[in-house]
Amino acid sequence: MKQLFFIITVVLFGQSTFGQDRVKKIDSLLTAMHAAERLNGNVLIAEKGNVIYKKSFGNANEETKQSLNENSIFELASCSKQFTAMAIMILKEKGKVNLDDDISKYIPELSFYKNITVRNLLHHTSGLPDYMELMDSMFDKSKMATNKDIISLFSKVQPKIVFEPNTKYEYSNTGYAFLASIVEKASGQTFADFLQNNIFKPLKMTRSFVYTRRFAPKKIDNYAFGYVYSDSLKKYFLPDNLPETNMVIWLDGIVGDGCVNSTVNDLLKWDRALYTNTLLSKEGMKEVFQVATLKDESKTKYGLGWLIDENADFGKIVAHSGGWPGYATHIERHITNDKTIIILQNHDNVSIPVKSIKNILYNKPLPKQIIRTEIKLPAEQLQKFVGTYELQKGFELKITLENEQLFAQATGQNTVPIFAESELLFFLKVVDAQLQFEKNDANEIVKLFLLQNGGRMEANRIK
């Protein structure tokens, strides 16, 4: 449902296929990744709407060993946000929503928040705190939460904003959950029905729908169940069965930031429709793919449900990833060159090989494989790293220790294991990222640095 903080990258597999054509190179890469248990799902790649590669890797159901196929249905996680944003834009063009209205017009229970607009929610510039963190500490987890429960809790607690609206960009699941409630208020329909009637049916996306599997279960043929891997037990489990991921149960009734389910084939229909004016006017479609402008006139890289990049090598790209226990998803649309990459996975200890696929599609060389070697540190040494580190105001990274295994969890996101490669340097297996810890003169751990994609982000220890 939610976007992973650690940007998903890929373990690369050399260039032994250099002399092959592009499709064979892609297939060689993905087959090697699946063999290494770094990929389990469906991949579709198209150019100008024509499918040049489509393949399924692994099982839809680990218990029955039912294989995935091109019609298997996946939870899209945060890739759902593009549909939430489209629903708002459709309502805007129907005259039922004004993007510059305060959210209190549609959700009066939130009237204590001033100057937060619908547009701020769409652009992640609202400053709203993370609902998952708040509910983790205050919600009765014997129940299943819905969007109404988030609104009720926010109304009762009235948590302060993290920053003044439209002064910065900070990814917010809260905002998109509130947007779903605005869709319901403005349309008089459930969020699920509105998407079905206004997006999925018109586009003939027959295997796409909003689905809360635990809150409102129903039988769905060819469903790709999401699995998490337990490093300690060396086995795949449904996330419901592990304490560190059982939030999938009590958060299951929440929609808007996630819970759209679809297939690679349906998502290609979605991709093609976004080049037309089937759903919105020409001006409306243009607005979807425009980045936000902050109060200081600086630009963000987020439009309406899409991350947007102007790339010297690849042209204009709009994309989104999603991560939730059991699922890792990605859709990328190369608007300048009309290429589409769709990757839906139902394991979450995987990689999203989009960078490698891009390089192959544009006949660029693949970078060399990165191999990290794990070492074992005693539990008493691992305990010294346990604490909370502030990456930026309101956004923290918590390091915990369980059964001699360290875990990292960014605010509102999944818990992931980290592994030592030296006494102060740790790495993640689910993504290509490292955590470099730093001591003071008293031999105490006082900060860490997140190392990823050539970047270095400092986080001071606050607890």
Side-chain angles (χ1 to χ4, degrees), residues 10 26 32 64 71 74 83 99 132 148 169 187 192 197 203 237 254 268 312 349 370 373-374 407 413 443 449:
V10 62
I26 290 169
T64 65
N71 294 311
F74 293 74
F83 296 99
L99 301 193
M132 285 187 284
K148 289 180 180 179
Y169 163 91
S187 70
N197 294 330
L203 301 186
F237 291 89
I254 296 166
L268 183 60
N349 63 327
I370 299 173
T373 303
E374 177 186 354
F407 293 89
Q413 296 174 19
N443 211 33
F449 295 91

Side-chain angles (χ1 to χ4, degrees), residues 81 84 121-122 124 172-180 256-257 302 305:
K81 288 181 170 68
T84 305
L121 301 187
L122 288 164
H124 298 291
S172 173
N173 290 304
T174 306
Y176 270 74
F178 287 163
L179 285 169
D257 55 345
Y302 203 90

Side-chain angles (χ1 to χ4, degrees), residues 8-13 33 37-40 328 343 345 347-354 429-432:
I8 299 177
T9 55
V10 62
V11 179
L12 298 169
F13 289 89
M33 289 182 64
E37 298 186 3
R38 307 306 300 150
L39 180 124
N40 196 95
I343 304 172
Q345 301 202 61
H347 286 183
D348 67 358
N349 63 327
V350 291
S351 297
I352 297 287
V354 66
K429 292 182 179 179
V430 296
V431 298
D432 182 18

Side-chain angles (χ1 to χ4, degrees), residues 46 51 73 99 109 116 127 140 182-183 187 202 244 255 282 289 292 294 328 409 411 428 442:
V51 176
I73 297 171
L99 301 193
E109 298 95 324
I116 296 178
D140 179 0
I182 291 172
V183 169
S187 70
E244 61 266 30
V255 299
K282 182 179 179 180
F289 301 115
L294 300 177
Q409 183 180 28
T411 298
L428 287 77

